[in-house]
Amino acid sequence: MLRFVGEAMGTSWSLLAVDPPGDAAEGVQGAFDRVVAQMSQWEPESDLSRFNRAPPGEWRRIPSEFALVVAAALEIAEASGGAFDPALGDMTERWGFGSAGPVTVVLPEGHTRDRLLEYDPGSTCIRRSEGAQIDLSGIAKGYAVDLGGEWLRGQGVCHFLL
């Protein structure tokens, strides 16, 4: 059994694997890097960041992995009655959990935001309303681990903990 460690998405990761290939750390890190390139709100050039900066109301095509995570996030949002909200990115930024760090913003009493995120699975396109910005922090790390596991299984590694 071999152990590998690395850093991604603001945290550390470790891999314990039985008979892994020599490039196991690079393969797992590559899977994580793909998720960051597509779904990080901290990376200014990620697909997610570019989408959040685009004018609201425009349909924009996204990569298939990003689309899978958006679809799952929207399913969880519906199943949870909105307790999980992938369109809450503007609020996580305001609360200081986003890329800008702590910010003091006082919203007027009774202020509500229209946070609508739409996904068209046929075209892998998404669009957002004026008040919506995507934050996939609550789901993208789990997907990254799944993607790293897929890479390992594709290399013939059957026994691992990531």
Side-chain angles (χ1 to χ4, degrees):
M1 185 169 340
L2 295 177
R3 181 170 195 252
F4 303 89
V5 295
E7 292 185 7
M9 298 172 270
T11 190
S12 60
W13 61 266
S14 65
L15 166 66
L16 292 173
V18 175
D19 198 25
D23 64 347
E26 292 84 5
V28 168
Q29 187 67 52
F32 292 170
D33 290 346
R34 282 197 346 247
V35 172
V36 168
Q38 292 178 35
M39 301 173 229
S40 173
Q41 71 191 77
W42 287 271
E43 292 297 325
E45 293 309 310
S46 73
D47 294 304
L48 182 145
S49 291
R50 288 195 312 271
F51 173 78
N52 282 343
R53 285 193 308 267
E58 289 183 6
W59 284 101
R60 297 183 57 96
R61 186 173 312 280
I62 57 175
S64 60
E65 292 165 337
F66 187 4
L68 284 171
V69 174
V70 165
L74 290 172
E75 285 179 30
I76 294 167
E78 185 173 332
S80 70
F84 179 84
D85 186 352
L88 197 64
D90 63 330
M91 296 307 291
T92 57
E93 286 289 339
R94 291 174 186 270
W95 293 330
F97 295 108
S99 59
V103 180
T104 302
V105 175
V106 178
L107 298 176
E109 192 69 32
H111 179 80
T112 60
R113 300 201 47 117
D114 174 31
R115 292 189 314 267
L116 178 63
L117 177 62
E118 296 175 274
Y119 170 60
D120 176 10
S123 65
T124 64
C125 288
I126 56 176
R127 73 175 169 182
R128 66 182 179 90
S129 65
E130 179 71 33
Q133 289 196 8
I134 298 179
D135 177 350
L136 297 174
S137 298
I139 191 171
K141 285 180 179 142
Y143 179 74
V145 171
D146 290 345
L147 204 57
E150 282 181 26
W151 184 87
L152 289 163
R153 285 187 294 278
Q155 301 298 307
V157 180
C158 299
H159 306 288
F160 62 90
L161 175 64
L162 178 57

